[in-house]
Amino acid sequence: MLPIEERRAIIALMRRQVVPAVGCTEPIAVALCVTRARELLGYEPESVRLRLSANILKNAMGVGIPGTGMVGLPIAVALGVLVGRSEYQLEVLKDSDRYAVERGKRYIEEGHIHIGLEEDDDDKLYIHAICTAQGHEAEAIIKSHHTTFAYLRRDDNVLLDRRQELSATNEEDDSEVSLTLRKVFDFATTTDIDDIRFILEAKKLNERAAAEGLRDNYGHQLGKTLCSPLGKGIMGESIFSKILSVTSCACDARMAGAMIPVMSNSGSGNQGICTTMPVVVFAEENHNTEEELIRALALSNLTAIYIKQSLGALSALCGCVVASTGSSTGITYLMGGNYEQVSYAVKNMIANLTGMICDGAKPSCALKLTTGVGTAVMSAMLAIQHKWVTSVEGIIDDDVDKSIHNLTAIGSRGMDVTDRYVLDIMTRKGK
């Protein structure tokens, strides 16, 4: 049994990392940073200057901004200036409406916004905003986490400075909660059910997003295609096909800019969808109890949080690899799996999906999520039958935690060059 204080620390960690978000978290985090700088300034900025890390730029270039019908950073920045409220955190733009969007378009056309690449900071999640107006200047920096302010200043008055503390290798307080897969499993399966019941909010929000994705024609309409006569004719109406379609419907809506919140995981709405919806659908189809569903969702979400601790908030590795590994553990548990079988599912996932690149947030993320979720189901099916990829194969180790750290080492360090090539390709298209 885990000590009470450790359980409380893990619950607090989950509450920090599983939060509602409206829109893709990278452009929304930029909007949040700009909003805070504008609030400090006290005026509508005459100029907004932004310096962003490569990973923030990559993830914000091609994704829909909620309620705008537009993609990319400029409209997110403009709305942050005009209607953003920093207390809303990752829902900073939820007060936006069509009038704000029209004002935002004019603000962009007037040339107030200037965006550049920050090459001097080692943190992959770095947002630096400077707003000026009427002879005054305000500055805000977000670093390491999507909602973590590292620096705040108005004119010569420095209000906050945590830049040294929040280094790329020491990301706020979350690394102080030391996790292993065994600890994650024990927590999810033995903690008082009322202490983790809050995870059902993820089910509620992400089910709404999936319903929205089915209601309208968002993105590449992968979810709707899987539900169509063509999709059913090829895929059937199995539990597997329903898991794929529901998950991709939610991602279709979110990536195309639906004005609807999703429950995120580790700073990513897609990761929140991926850790939640496959588990929810399987539990419904398998007639699991509510308690089993709650524990499976806790296991799935906390597994993803654990993997992200050593991977980092942003990397060259697609987040669906992490999130679908979480969902595979949850599905294995719902199948009746024990810790050993859950660890087998993790090894199967790492053996299959390691190396999938992140080339930015965009509508086609639905394709990657569906690939990850499909692998999650197959990995769970093998694991429940005591079939797993062994240590004689590739990067898998006998120790499941070492296997996880092999994955995150490749994603955080081994793929750095890949990350630079991806951004270079994305920024040079058409030139």
Side-chain angles (χ1 to χ4, degrees):
M1 293 286 289
L2 296 175
I4 292 176
E5 287 305 313
E6 190 166 26
R7 287 185 189 274
R8 288 174 179 168
I10 294 173
I11 290 169
L13 170 64
M14 289 184 67
R15 286 189 175 275
R16 286 196 299 274
Q17 296 288 5
V18 181
V19 295
V22 176
C24 176
T25 45
E26 278 71 57
I28 295 303
V30 174
L32 174 63
C33 193
V34 170
T35 294
R36 190 71 188 102
R38 184 260 299 158
E39 290 170 344
L40 291 175
L41 185 65
Y43 309 103
E44 182 176 303
E46 298 161 5
S47 170
V48 179
R49 288 175 286 145
L50 285 160
R51 303 289 292 182
L52 309 174
S53 61
N55 283 76
I56 290 288
L57 274 176
K58 179 181 72 174
N59 280 4
M61 290 171 62
V63 68
I65 306 302
T68 68
M70 301 170 68
V71 300
L73 279 169
I75 190 63
V77 172
L79 291 174
V81 165
L82 297 170
V83 297
R85 293 180 63 180
S86 64
E87 63 264 34
Y88 291 163
Q89 298 280 289
L90 292 178
E91 296 180 282
V92 62
L93 300 183
K94 71 178 181 180
D95 288 343
S96 178
D97 56 24
R98 63 188 181 90
Y99 301 106
V101 173
E102 290 306 312
R103 289 171 60 205
K105 290 177 182 177
R106 290 195 297 272
Y107 192 82
I108 295 167
E109 291 169 357
E110 290 165 2
H112 299 288
I113 300 169
H114 312 277
I115 300 171
L117 175 66
E118 176 57 62
E119 297 178 337
D120 294 334
D121 197 279
D122 292 332
D123 202 315
K124 294 185 177 182
L125 197 164
Y126 182 85
I127 304 165
H128 184 182
I130 296 178
C131 294
T132 56
Q134 301 189 29
H136 295 279
E137 182 175 273
E139 183 177 6
I141 296 174
I142 284 177
K143 187 177 170 70
S144 297
H145 291 267
H146 291 79
T147 58
T148 299
F149 284 95
Y151 186 78
L152 296 172
R153 173 184 65 83
R154 188 184 192 275
D155 293 333
D156 295 329
N157 186 18
V158 176
L159 304 169
L160 175 73
D161 192 352
R162 299 178 63 200
R163 288 174 294 181
Q164 295 303 314
E165 175 190 347
L166 293 171
S167 67
T169 56
N170 181 27
E171 298 190 355
E172 211 177 13
D173 300 321
D174 294 347
S175 61
E176 295 177 10
V177 182
S178 178
L179 296 175
T180 63
L181 189 65
R182 175 87 244 187
K183 194 178 291 186
V184 167
F185 182 85
D186 289 348
F187 171 86
T189 56
T190 64
T191 296
D192 188 297
I193 197 67
D194 288 331
D195 289 340
I196 54 175
R197 190 177 296 277
F198 67 87
I199 201 67
L200 286 177
E201 184 67 16
K203 171 181 181 292
K204 182 170 72 174
L205 288 184
N206 294 343
E207 279 183 330
R208 287 177 185 169
E212 178 65 16
L214 190 59
R215 185 189 67 81
D216 210 338
N217 294 329
Y218 288 106
H220 299 294
Q221 303 170 45
L222 176 59
K224 290 188 75 169
T225 299
L226 290 170
C227 293
S228 70
L230 173 65
K232 290 179 179 179
I234 294 172
M235 301 289 291
E237 297 189 55
S238 63
I239 297 175
F240 182 68
S241 64
K242 187 170 183 181
I243 287 172
L244 298 185
S245 62
V246 170
T247 303
S248 52
C249 272
C251 185
D252 282 332
R254 177 174 179 268
M255 288 289 94
M259 194 63 170
I260 187 168
V262 302
M263 190 65 81
S264 67
N265 181 295
S266 303
S268 167
N270 280 350
Q271 286 172 198
I273 291 168
C274 197
T275 54
T276 302
M277 293 318 300
V279 176
V280 167
V281 173
F282 187 87
E284 290 174 351
E285 297 294 318
N286 198 46
H287 303 292
N288 289 101
T289 65
E290 182 180 73
E291 177 173 342
E292 289 169 337
L293 171 60
I294 291 170
R295 296 196 182 283
L297 286 173
L299 177 59
S300 176
N301 278 274
L302 192 54
T303 297
I305 292 167
Y306 165 43
I307 298 173
K308 290 290 281 189
Q309 280 186 333
S310 55
L311 180 63
L314 297 175
S315 74
L317 184 72
C318 180
C320 82
V321 177
V322 175
S324 57
T325 299
S327 63
S328 189
T329 67
I331 291 170
T332 303
Y333 170 77
L334 292 172
M335 288 177 174
N338 56 24
Y339 169 73
E340 183 180 53
Q341 290 161 309
V342 164
S343 70
Y344 294 161
V346 171
K347 291 180 180 181
N348 292 341
M349 291 296 292
I350 294 170
N352 193 332
L353 289 182
T354 297
M356 181 184 287
I357 64 166
C358 171
D359 56 343
K362 58 212 175 302
S364 61
C365 285
L367 293 165
K368 292 187 178 184
L369 251 67
T370 306
T371 296
V373 169
T375 303
V377 175
M378 291 187 289
S379 295
M381 289 168 57
L382 288 173
I384 205 69
Q385 299 177 86
H386 293 271
K387 297 173 182 176
W388 73 98
V389 178
T390 68
S391 61
V392 301
E393 303 174 68
I395 64 170
I396 302 303
D397 195 285
D398 287 327
D399 184 317
V400 67
D401 294 296
K402 288 183 179 177
S403 298
I404 288 170
H405 288 288
N406 290 343
L407 165 71
T408 59
I410 291 170
S412 62
R413 300 190 299 276
M415 296 175 70
D416 272 346
V417 174
T418 300
D419 218 11
R420 290 194 293 272
Y421 271 102
V422 168
L423 183 63
D424 185 63
I425 290 168
M426 290 174 66
T427 54
R428 291 180 181 275
K429 283 190 292 186
K431 294 181 180 178

